[in-house]
Amino acid sequence: MGIYVCGVGSDDWSDEEVLGPTARALAAELRRRGLDPCPRPAPRAPRPRSGASFEEKLNRPLGTFEDLCRQDPAGEECYDALLGWDLLVPVAFDGAFELPVPSPYDDVTTVRSAHAARAAAQRVADRIALPPQVPLDGGNLALTNWFDGPAVADAAATHPGPWSQATDAAFYAALYLGAAEHAIRHTCPMHYV
């Protein structure tokens, strides 16, 4: 159990019991705003290949990451870009908007751009000197498993920096950077389940 950040597959995107109403509301709102449409997600492979899907568990305390976001020169804008969404889409736009469709955790669905999230996450990752070994798009739970395993100590020995003193914050910086990059690279909305 727990909360996961996941890429959306085309089956869920069109399913009336899952995200179909959200997809229709999003398409209408993007059209109304004169923005590019959100590409239809690709079907999920029967056995996800490395990098072909994205699923990470939010299994660490969030407080140090929230503080790190608020310390960004953009402050609340950084915090909102990374933590203030229910649906992250591979469409460029500023700010956020709400869809009148319930999300798993609210009465509405707050939508943000993966492009803005990627920029904010990259700034945070740069500030804490996130090491290159971190698997940003290595497949389901790759990041969760990396941070829970011995690779963290190895990376801290070869790439010491602020990240190794705040691994919970580093985990979330990597998670949101990876999620935003996955959304853009694979034209795949991201959501919480």
Side-chain angles (χ1 to χ4, degrees):
M1 293 298 292
I3 299 174
Y4 293 79
V5 173
C6 298
V8 175
S10 62
D11 50 342
D12 289 342
W13 198 238
S14 58
D15 189 324
E16 287 303 306
E17 299 295 317
V18 186
L19 289 170
T22 303
R24 282 194 310 281
L26 174 65
E29 184 62 18
L30 291 172
R31 234 182 350 264
R32 188 184 77 71
R33 292 170 177 261
L35 296 168
D36 291 335
C38 183
R40 181 175 175 77
R44 291 196 186 172
R47 289 187 177 167
R49 301 178 322 273
S50 176
S53 61
F54 189 99
E55 178 180 310
E56 293 293 348
K57 186 173 185 177
L58 282 67
N59 65 345
R60 296 171 170 270
L62 195 58
T64 55
F65 181 68
E66 291 174 322
D67 293 343
L68 195 58
C69 290
R70 288 189 174 108
Q71 293 164 7
D72 186 81
E76 287 301 312
E77 182 181 315
C78 176
Y79 179 92
D80 290 342
L82 296 174
L83 297 169
W85 55 268
D86 300 301
L87 186 67
L88 193 66
V89 297
V91 179
F93 58 89
D94 292 329
F97 55 85
E98 293 181 345
L99 301 175
V101 180
S103 71
Y105 307 102
D106 203 347
D107 293 338
V108 296
T109 297
T110 301
V111 181
R112 289 197 180 267
S113 170
H115 296 79
R118 179 177 60 182
Q122 188 64 62
R123 286 194 312 272
V124 172
D126 290 347
R127 281 193 7 247
I128 62 172
L130 198 64
Q133 296 96 320
V134 175
L136 296 178
D137 199 5
N140 290 346
L141 299 175
L143 184 63
T144 302
N145 293 332
W146 190 88
F147 271 92
D148 287 343
V152 171
D154 296 341
T158 59
H159 288 83
W163 78 272
S164 64
Q165 304 304 310
T167 56
D168 291 340
F171 169 79
Y172 284 108
L175 184 147
Y176 286 108
L177 179 58
E181 288 184 348
H182 184 89
I184 294 165
R185 184 179 306 114
H186 297 282
T187 60
C188 172
M190 306 299 288
H191 68 139
Y192 291 97
V193 293

